[in-house]
Amino acid sequence: MNLKNALSNRSIGVYLALVFSLMTIVLTVILVEVIGITATRQIKNNIGNGLAELAVQTSDKLDRGMHERYREVRLMSIRKDLASPEVSIDDKRDVLDERQQTYGFYAWIGLTDPDGKVLAATQKMLEGANVSQRPWFRNALAGNYLGDVHEAVLLAKLLPNPTNEPKRFVDVAFPYRDTSGKLLGVLGVHLSWQWARDVERSIIDPIAARRNIESMILDRAGTVLLGPAGMQGKTLDIKRYRPADDKQNAFHIEQWEDGRQYLVGYSASKGYDDYPGLGWTVVVRQNIDEAYAPAKRLQRQVLWSGIVLALLFSILGWLVAGRIAKPLGELAASAQQVQMRQADGIARIDTDYLEVRRLSGSLNALVADLLQKESALRDLNQTLERRVEQRTQELAQALTEVRTSEKRIKTIIETAQDAFIGVDLHGKVTDWNGRAEQMFGWSASEAIGRRLDELIIPQRFHDRYSGALAEFHRSGAPDYLNQRLERIVVNRAGAEFPVEATIGLAGTADTYFFSAFLHDISERKKIERMKNEFVSTVSHELRTPLTSIRASLSMLVDDTGDTEGMGADLPPDVKGLLNISYQSCERLVRLVNDVLDVQKIEAGSMEYRMLRQPLLPLLRESMEAIDSYARQYRVRLDLESDGSDPEPAVDRDRMIQVLHNLLSNAIKFSPPEATVTVRLLTRDKEAKISVIDHGSGIPEQFRERIFQRFAQADATDSRRKGGTGLGLSICKSIVEEHGGRISFESEAGQGTVFHVDLPLAG
């Protein structure tokens, strides 16, 4: 806080100086860092490349040295004095001794016969011994003239060994022949491995003395042939030291077994001239801290140089900022005098800055304008205070009205006969009135804040409840809002009971919630079950005597119109009474059958035997069965088809029942001498059956409830025609059980068309 106050009281010159200093420091640090990183990276690369170059030089010197020995032994193998049988063994031995003296690392040179017996050798060592099983002898005969580093076997006890170290050699051997090309034997040379140590010291030791560098020579398998104490004989991962992209040398950073990191340069032997090489790899390593010490020194030098430069530039920036800010300071002092009423305007500032001169003029204009508006603001302030006071009173009155309204609504909800529950859009209870407490057993304090499905929804309906919430969030206008719904709920004791629910959406866009009024309809459902059981029982009890009465009356009356009944000789007035009794009995039988069908549909026990069958025979059978009924109304029946005979899967008896209901309605409401047409079409994998009449049509006010149970038009003509009001409801249920749909088209005075669409089997 003290630093903030100190800075807030400083002039713009101080801020400019601070900005200049900060920018200078940041830019200097960035520049120093970039230079330091670039230079350090370059130095590190140079150091690594230097180690790799040492490895290359060592590898090259080894290859060149071996090339000289390789070439020299090959030339010896073609000397005539060694191959000629006329030269004695002693003379040949002298030649070999002389050659050994010319190069001190020749540990042994010998001539063998074709069977591997040593004929002549330096210092007569191994003469007469059989070396046919030695690798250098067999490889020479096979065309492989080089042998990798190995310890002495036969010569170990013959050669002097002042250091007691194991003797190791590199073999060079060529077969020698006479002038006719006949194989005479093998010329073999054991080159002391101390030769490689001498090469290493000539290159590495001068540098190792001041840089603590270690070198190693690895064979093809990665075994250390020559290296520091403790490393010789160990096997390293040779794949690490194979330069990529066919390069001869490379370097990398590697952590070794001692836990330290080393900068490692390496080079693989490629041979030289006609010398094919032995696949050696030269590895040169240096501790990473010692290797990169020059780079770290450079970083420190660059950093200190950067700090010194930053300080110098900061001092320079401070001086420049003070000079730039001086006119602004004078302008600020003049403005402060105006503020303290010690001056009427801004003094003229003598400066070369165009911006300062313009600012001075603008400030003078602003001062005059502000003085003029100050008076107007005082008047406006008084007016605003009066308005604020007035609006405050109005808001207080509105708040009182809102609270009164809220209290009235709360009282209405609490005294409502139905349970009221408020639920937010996430399914949590927000309101719970007293009737809800009585109905479900949960107090308001227990229910509010909990999920509704945890309180009143049975477990088996939880998924459906979650789906309803998801549907609201997806569509925003689900079909269950503002509708009377019957649902099963559960109380705190676990008892389930039915309720009638009305769900609405209340609140504003930011505070939407679901309002639900629940009415317990357990008693109503119980009464309905008792009613249905009573109707079913009565219907079954009426069906048996009515069937007997209908059969008896049908024997007395002329039922078909083609034959005379048993009551043909009765007086006309008696026959009239019999006809009335028979027709009334028919209506009662149909009513009982319809009531029983409705009971089966409600109970879900209506049986269907679905079979694929053609519709045309079924239509003809239905029309033949109702033809006598049509003749009573003097109505003709006609069948039309588009030539197809679709075969949907239907229950034959139930579909005839549907057609009978539709045809009987069409016949009843058709005028005499009219025609009722039955039309069969096939459209888009559906069979469409249409029953067309030319009656008075369906009244507009009756169309919405035409498929409801016991629904009948109120027109006098409809009541005169009779009917139970159950036929179309039963038709709708049967058609929907077939997976189809029933619909109608009607025009007043023109007639009605009922359509039945049935799906065809795929």
Side-chain angles (χ1 to χ4, degrees):
M1 190 65 183
N2 294 333
L3 177 61
K4 183 177 180 181
N5 292 333
L7 290 176
S8 63
N9 294 325
R10 300 300 178 187
S11 66
I12 191 172
V14 174
Y15 284 106
L16 286 174
L18 290 174
V19 170
F20 285 156
S21 299
L22 182 60
M23 290 177 61
T24 301
I25 292 172
V26 171
L27 291 176
T28 303
V29 169
I30 293 174
L31 184 61
V32 166
E33 189 67 19
V34 170
I35 294 174
I37 291 174
T38 304
T40 301
R41 185 184 297 116
Q42 185 62 40
I43 290 174
K44 289 182 178 180
N45 286 334
N46 291 341
I47 294 171
N49 287 327
L51 291 181
E53 187 62 31
L54 283 177
V56 170
Q57 293 177 14
T58 305
S59 175
D60 182 66
K61 195 165 184 179
L62 289 171
D63 283 344
R64 288 176 181 270
M66 281 299 299
H67 170 258
E68 291 296 326
R69 307 288 78 76
Y70 182 82
R71 183 176 63 84
E72 190 172 20
V73 175
R74 186 178 60 183
L75 292 176
M76 289 173 60
S77 69
I78 61 176
R79 285 183 59 151
K80 294 181 180 180
D81 53 353
L82 293 178
S84 175
E86 299 176 357
V87 180
S88 66
I89 294 300
D90 292 335
D91 292 339
K92 291 180 180 180
R93 184 186 306 113
D94 291 339
V95 172
L96 298 179
D97 286 337
E98 179 185 356
R99 179 56 58 191
Q100 184 184 32
Q101 292 173 3
T102 63
Y103 189 70
F105 292 110
Y106 283 145
W108 180 84
I109 306 175
L111 285 172
T112 73
D113 63 10
D115 296 326
K117 180 180 178 182
V118 179
L119 302 176
T122 55
Q123 308 299 322
K124 295 184 179 183
M125 286 186 293
L126 298 181
E127 286 187 359
N130 191 312
V131 295
S132 61
Q133 299 304 313
R134 301 305 300 152
W136 61 268
F137 179 82
R138 297 199 307 271
N139 290 341
L141 294 180
N144 185 7
Y145 311 127
L146 294 170
D148 210 341
V149 179
H150 64 88
E151 293 187 2
V153 178
L154 299 177
L155 294 175
K157 299 178 181 179
L158 302 177
L159 293 173
N161 189 7
T163 62
N164 293 324
E165 293 182 0
K167 290 287 186 178
R168 295 195 295 169
F169 303 101
V170 177
D171 300 329
V172 183
F174 284 89
Y176 66 96
R177 305 175 188 275
D178 60 14
T179 55
S180 64
K182 180 182 178 182
L183 177 67
L184 298 178
V186 174
L187 171 64
V189 175
H190 289 337
L191 181 62
S192 174
W193 185 238
Q194 290 299 321
W195 155 78
R197 176 78 70 181
D198 187 65
V199 171
E200 178 198 33
R201 288 171 179 168
S202 67
I203 296 175
I204 302 299
D205 285 0
I207 300 175
R210 67 177 187 273
R211 291 179 57 186
N212 194 18
I213 292 175
E214 296 176 330
S215 64
M216 287 169 281
I217 300 175
L218 314 180
D219 64 9
R220 283 191 176 91
T223 303
V224 179
L225 302 175
L226 187 66
M231 292 298 298
Q232 191 161 301
K234 290 189 176 181
T235 300
L236 305 180
D237 185 2
I238 194 65
K239 294 180 181 178
R240 298 181 182 178
Y241 312 113
R242 289 287 183 258
D245 303 328
D246 297 329
K247 293 181 180 179
Q248 186 179 359
N249 65 304
F251 69 91
H252 63 241
I253 297 174
E254 182 180 346
Q255 185 167 353
W256 288 61
E257 294 179 354
D258 58 2
R260 302 172 66 187
Q261 284 192 326
Y262 291 87
L263 182 64
V264 181
Y266 47 89
S267 173
S269 171
K270 302 294 184 181
Y272 182 76
D273 199 8
D274 58 348
Y275 163 64
L278 288 171
W280 293 339
T281 299
V282 178
V283 177
V284 181
R285 72 176 187 178
Q286 185 180 11
N287 184 274
I288 192 70
D289 295 330
E290 296 178 359
Y292 287 162
K296 293 181 178 178
R297 286 196 298 271
L298 177 62
Q299 285 180 322
R300 288 194 294 270
Q301 292 173 0
V302 171
L303 178 61
W304 283 111
S305 300
I307 292 174
V308 172
L309 287 175
L311 291 175
L312 291 176
F313 281 115
S314 297
I315 294 172
L316 180 61
W318 192 280
L319 296 176
V320 172
R323 183 172 179 81
I324 292 174
K326 183 179 179 181
L328 292 176
E330 295 176 356
L331 184 62
S334 179
Q336 189 174 15
Q337 290 180 349
V338 173
Q339 180 184 8
M340 298 174 65
R341 307 295 184 180
Q342 295 177 358
D344 296 332
I346 303 297
R348 180 178 178 83
I349 306 300
D350 187 13
T351 179
D352 295 333
Y353 296 155
L354 177 61
E355 290 80 2
V356 174
R357 293 200 302 271
R358 289 181 176 177
L359 181 60
S360 176
S362 299
L363 287 176
N364 275 320
L366 284 174
V367 168
D369 187 53
L370 287 173
L371 291 175
Q372 180 181 356
K373 291 181 178 179
E374 185 177 359
S375 176
L377 284 174
R378 291 194 190 96
D379 297 338
L380 181 60
N381 186 46
Q382 294 177 356
T383 303
L384 286 175
E385 288 179 353
R386 289 195 298 271
R387 288 188 177 183
V388 168
E389 184 179 358
Q390 180 181 356
R391 290 299 174 89
T392 301
Q393 293 176 353
E394 293 175 356
L395 287 174
Q397 183 179 356
L399 181 60
T400 302
E401 293 176 356
V402 168
R403 288 175 177 172
T404 302
S405 177
E406 182 180 355
K407 185 177 180 181
R408 182 169 61 252
I409 293 172
K410 187 174 182 180
T411 302
I412 292 172
I413 291 175
E414 284 297 325
T415 57
Q417 295 298 314
D418 292 339
F420 174 79
I421 300 175
V423 182
D424 66 15
L425 301 186
H426 300 290
K428 291 185 177 180
V429 175
T430 59
D431 294 284
W432 189 273
N433 71 352
R435 182 66 182 120
E437 291 181 343
Q438 298 173 7
M439 184 179 292
F440 296 105
W442 299 95
S443 66
S445 59
E446 292 175 321
I448 293 175
R450 294 182 63 179
R451 291 182 57 84
L452 183 66
D453 52 358
E454 298 176 356
L455 300 174
I456 70 170
I457 298 177
Q459 181 67 36
R460 64 182 182 278
F461 298 135
H462 280 192
D463 290 343
R464 186 184 300 178
Y465 171 76
S466 300
L469 273 181
E471 173 65 21
F472 171 79
H473 288 292
R474 182 171 59 254
S475 64
D479 55 5
Y480 55 78
L481 291 181
N482 302 317
Q483 301 289 332
R484 285 187 176 273
L485 308 172
E486 289 189 8
R487 293 291 184 266
I488 300 298
V489 294
V490 62
N491 61 19
R492 186 169 189 168
E496 295 185 1
F497 57 94
V499 296
E500 189 175 69
T502 303
I503 302 173
L505 191 64
T508 61
D510 296 331
T511 60
Y512 274 142
F513 68 96
F514 295 108
S515 62
F517 285 92
L518 307 179
H519 180 67
D520 188 348
I521 56 174
S522 301
E523 289 299 322
R524 191 178 79 189
K525 286 293 182 180
K526 182 178 179 181
I527 293 171
E528 286 181 359
R529 284 195 302 271
M530 294 173 62
K531 180 202 71 174
N532 292 335
E533 290 172 359
F534 173 76
V535 171
S536 178
T537 301
V538 171
S539 298
H540 279 288
E541 293 297 326
L542 287 175
R543 192 175 192 179
T544 300
L546 282 175
T547 302
S548 300
I549 295 171
R550 178 174 175 271
S552 300
L553 291 174
S554 65
M555 296 173 63
L556 295 174
V557 300
D558 182 10
D559 191 33
T560 63
D562 297 329
T563 60
E564 293 183 355
M566 296 176 62
D569 297 332
L570 294 174
D573 55 344
V574 175
K575 291 173 64 177
L577 292 173
L578 285 173
N579 283 328
I580 293 171
S581 299
Y582 178 73
Q583 292 174 2
S584 298
C585 185
E586 281 283 346
R587 284 197 296 272
L588 282 174
V589 170
R590 286 198 298 273
L591 173 61
V592 170
N593 287 335
D594 287 346
V595 169
L596 290 176
D597 284 343
V598 169
Q599 294 298 319
K600 288 180 181 180
I601 291 171
E602 286 185 349
S605 60
M606 180 79 82
E607 296 182 357
Y608 295 90
R609 297 178 181 177
M610 302 293 190
L611 295 174
R612 288 188 60 177
Q613 52 191 299
L615 286 179
L616 279 176
L618 190 146
L619 296 179
R620 291 191 182 100
E621 181 180 344
S622 300
M623 294 171 67
E624 290 173 359
I626 205 168
D627 184 61
S628 61
Y629 183 73
R631 286 202 302 271
Q632 293 179 14
Y633 286 87
R634 292 185 295 163
V635 172
R636 294 186 300 276
L637 300 178
D638 186 30
L639 176 62
E640 295 181 358
S641 172
D642 61 357
S644 62
D645 190 4
E647 297 184 3
V650 298
D651 183 305
R652 183 181 186 85
D653 294 337
R654 294 304 176 190
M655 193 52 60
I656 288 177
Q657 182 180 356
V658 171
L659 293 171
H660 187 279
N661 271 316
L662 296 179
L663 287 170
S664 64
N665 284 343
I667 291 169
K668 281 193 302 184
F669 292 101
S670 293
E673 309 305 330
T675 299
V676 172
T677 303
V678 179
R679 182 179 297 156
L680 176 62
L681 303 175
T682 303
R683 295 287 187 272
D684 298 330
K685 297 184 179 181
E686 283 189 339
K688 180 183 285 292
I689 302 172
S690 302
V691 178
I692 308 168
D693 68 52
H694 300 282
S696 58
I698 301 173
E700 184 73 28
Q701 65 275 14
F702 179 59
R703 293 179 185 180
E704 291 184 358
R705 53 191 181 90
I706 191 170
F707 291 111
Q708 296 178 2
R709 294 169 188 170
F710 302 105
Q712 289 183 325
D714 292 332
T716 304
D717 185 58
S718 299
R719 298 303 300 164
R720 183 174 56 83
K721 300 294 183 182
T724 64
L726 295 174
L728 289 179
S729 174
I730 295 172
C731 289
K732 185 174 184 296
S733 297
I734 293 174
V735 171
E736 289 178 350
E737 285 294 331
H738 281 73
R741 59 186 182 277
I742 185 170
S743 58
F744 68 91
E745 301 173 15
S746 183
E747 187 175 349
Q750 300 296 321
T752 303
V753 181
F754 276 88
H755 301 289
V756 175
D757 297 298
L758 299 173
L760 297 177

